[in-house]
Amino acid sequence: MKIKEINVYVCSPGRNFVTVKVITEEGIYGLGDATLNGREMAVVSYLQEHVAPCLIGRNAHDIEDIWQYLYKGVYWRKGPVNMAAIAAIDMALWDIKGKAAGLPVYQLLGGKSRQAVTLYAHASGENVEDTLDKTEDLIKQGFKAIRLQSAVPGLNVTYGVLGDKKDYYELQGNRPLPPEEPWSTQKYFNMIEELFSKARARFGNDVHLLHDVHSRLTPIESAKLGKLLEPYNLMFLEDASIAENQDSYKIIRHHTTTPLAIGETYNTIWDCKDLIQNQLIDYLRAAATHAGGITALRRMADFASIYNVKTAPHGAPDLSPICFAAHMHLNIWAPNFGIQEFVGLGNEQSKSIFKQSIEVKQGMAYVSDAPGLGIEFDEEAAKEFPYKRSYLPVSRLEDGTVWNW
Ligand code: CS2
Ligand code: MG
């Protein structure tokens, strides 16, 4: 099963996606996602110039050896560009192995630990009532877990809130330069408890509620928020604070029982090893595309399971349907799977490019038994949507200081 060709595609059906196709001499090919929002072309050139030439002629079945070769062989290991490139190759090799075996990837991991994957959907509104109305719609669609985000009065834009945009693609897809967005922790604290107290009053205690702080708070502010929201029994508070200093989560953990989730920006187990083994978090949000693929996420899931940490893979609009497909196989297998973020199966343009076999019903996702990852990529359709440089926003405090977006 020798690797004959590696192609890298960048398309922009509303937002940029980087797709890798590994083709073997037998004609079996695999797909991987290498999308790094705002830095896509760095990964494209990394793959084309530095990774692909080394892999031609290698045995596509040697997934682990190729992973180790790309991880240790670069010398300058870790980091978002390295690991997105390794991730895409890795996903493609698992896809190939599944197709060659005639089995879905989850069977190669160890089979099903459940029949379906629980999803959490996004409710974001211009104010508390608008967010709660959107929450009600999602509950009616059968979702059992919902992430609530609401605009912050006094700030002209807030993370996760669409504003006048019709969807995340329009919100994030066309930023020729980084927009600058304001942040005020005080204004945020003035509104956040109302969001969840009114949500529990309106919907009761059965629905799981989640919230993404998006790294905006210091550890002690996160501790204060966790305590403040304890009466509302969140499933988890995500990215309460940046954890480049993993010890900082000891401050949060000391003060609150609100479960904590983190990890969507992590590239290796080293970014979260201390958080996990010191049981400072409850959910690990690492994404296959950002953290080195299926091989890496399987290892991280096993490590996390030793410390009662569950997986809750990132599922934002800037991860391609190929990454979502990879997560589905990991999620249906992982004994310590917690929940999967879900922002829909894409827009009409992306659906014309990425043909997936996942079924979503009543807030649950069902992986197909198609061999490999169970997804196809239409190269011709992708050509209709060429790459457009686009950036993530930059956050500034009201005094102008750059902050965590
Ligand atoms: C967010 C992401 O979904 C989430 O949890 O944190 O949408 C994040 O903002 C994007 O992935 C950034 O590109
Ligand atoms: Mg997040």
Side-chain angles (χ1 to χ4, degrees):
M1 192 66 72
K2 283 191 175 180
I3 295 170
K4 182 180 74 171
E5 192 179 339
I6 295 175
N7 298 328
V8 185
Y9 307 87
V10 194
C11 64
S12 194
R15 61 160 317 108
N16 294 316
F17 293 115
V18 180
T19 301
V20 168
K21 183 174 185 179
V22 177
I23 305 168
T24 66
E25 288 178 349
E26 286 76 359
I28 296 178
Y29 63 85
L31 297 170
D33 178 29
T35 305
L36 184 62
N37 194 345
R39 296 296 184 273
E40 296 86 356
M41 298 313 285
V43 187
V44 172
S45 61
Y46 188 98
L47 281 159
Q48 290 173 332
E49 182 61 23
H50 303 298
V51 171
C54 308
L55 300 186
I56 304 303
R58 288 183 181 273
N59 184 343
H61 277 314
D62 296 342
I63 297 176
E64 187 65 64
D65 182 63
I66 288 172
W67 197 99
Q68 299 295 333
Y69 176 84
L70 294 177
Y71 180 73
K72 293 173 177 155
V74 67
Y75 187 71
W76 318 106
R77 58 181 74 176
K78 301 194 290 186
V81 174
N82 260 338
M83 299 317 291
I86 293 174
I89 297 293
D90 185 76
M91 283 182 234
L93 297 181
W94 279 98
D95 195 13
I96 288 167
K97 193 179 279 286
K99 288 175 178 175
L103 290 170
V105 167
Y106 74 78
Q107 291 291 18
L108 306 181
L109 295 170
K112 289 185 176 181
S113 298
R114 55 197 62 75
Q115 293 311 305
V117 167
T118 304
L119 305 172
Y120 74 84
H122 285 195
S124 63
E126 296 307 307
N127 51 55
V128 168
E129 289 312 316
D130 182 30
T131 302
L132 298 184
D133 290 344
K134 290 183 170 114
T135 302
E136 185 165 351
D137 291 345
L138 290 165
I139 292 170
K140 285 176 182 165
Q141 291 174 42
F143 285 98
K144 298 148 185 69
I146 297 152
R147 187 191 84 167
L148 275 59
Q149 309 289 140
S150 181
V152 174
L155 297 180
N156 63 354
V157 64
T158 305
Y159 158 72
V161 178
L162 291 176
D164 60 353
K165 302 294 187 278
K166 70 175 185 307
D167 58 28
Y168 283 135
Y169 286 72
E170 188 181 352
L171 179 68
Q172 283 200 6
N174 184 17
R175 293 164 164 160
L177 284 174
E180 303 207 342
E181 297 186 357
W183 175 252
S184 162
T185 296
Q186 185 179 6
K187 290 185 170 75
Y188 171 73
F189 268 100
N190 290 342
M191 55 72 67
I192 190 67
E193 182 175 16
E194 181 195 359
L195 177 61
F196 288 96
S197 61
K198 285 191 172 176
R200 281 299 179 211
R202 184 162 162 183
F203 304 118
N205 284 316
D206 290 345
V207 63
H208 292 296
L209 300 179
L210 306 88
H211 181 61
D212 190 348
V213 187
H214 222 261
S215 309
R216 304 289 168 92
L217 303 182
T218 62
I220 199 63
E221 290 168 345
S222 304
K224 179 174 143 185
L225 178 65
K227 279 178 76 170
L228 185 67
L229 298 182
E230 275 177 17
Y232 313 111
N233 300 312
L234 268 64
M235 181 176 207
F236 62 61
L237 202 53
E238 177 190 355
D239 282 345
S241 188
I242 286 274
E244 286 161 322
N245 167 17
Q246 295 180 49
D247 276 352
S248 65
Y249 265 61
K250 290 177 181 171
I251 297 170
I252 308 169
R253 208 51 157 184
H254 175 74
H255 288 284
T256 182
T257 56
T258 293
L260 302 170
I262 197 167
E264 67 184 42
T265 62
Y266 291 172
N267 312 125
T268 71
I269 188 67
W270 306 108
D271 296 326
C272 49
K273 177 180 80 66
D274 299 343
L275 289 169
I276 293 170
Q277 69 186 27
N278 296 324
Q279 302 188 73
L280 300 179
I281 60 172
D282 304 279
Y283 292 87
L284 179 61
R285 300 264 294 130
T289 302
H290 295 302
I294 293 169
T295 300
L297 249 58
R298 178 181 59 173
R299 242 195 289 280
M300 290 168 98
D302 281 341
F303 182 72
S305 69
I306 299 169
Y307 299 96
N308 297 307
V309 174
K310 293 184 178 179
T311 64
H314 190 207
D318 51 359
L319 294 169
S320 99
I322 297 170
C323 179
F324 189 72
H327 285 170
M328 282 299 295
H329 290 276
L330 283 157
N331 294 341
I332 208 86
W333 154 76
N336 57 323
F337 166 71
I339 198 160
Q340 170 65 55
E341 182 176 16
F342 181 68
V343 291
L345 292 171
N347 62 12
E348 288 317 305
Q349 299 96 319
S350 66
K351 287 176 182 173
S352 72
I353 299 167
F354 299 96
K355 318 282 189 178
Q356 57 193 343
S357 52
I358 295 162
E359 193 184 2
V360 173
K361 278 187 304 188
Q362 293 296 310
M364 305 296 284
Y366 297 82
V367 63
S368 81
D369 280 332
L373 293 176
I375 189 162
E376 285 302 333
F377 175 75
D378 185 328
E379 298 161 37
E380 290 310 307
K383 289 176 185 167
E384 298 299 313
F385 306 98
Y387 166 73
K388 272 192 308 191
R389 188 178 70 205
S390 185
Y391 289 89
L392 281 168
V394 170
S395 177
R396 287 187 184 274
L397 300 178
E398 290 178 301
D399 71 358
T401 308
V402 172
W403 192 238
N404 307 314
W405 177 70

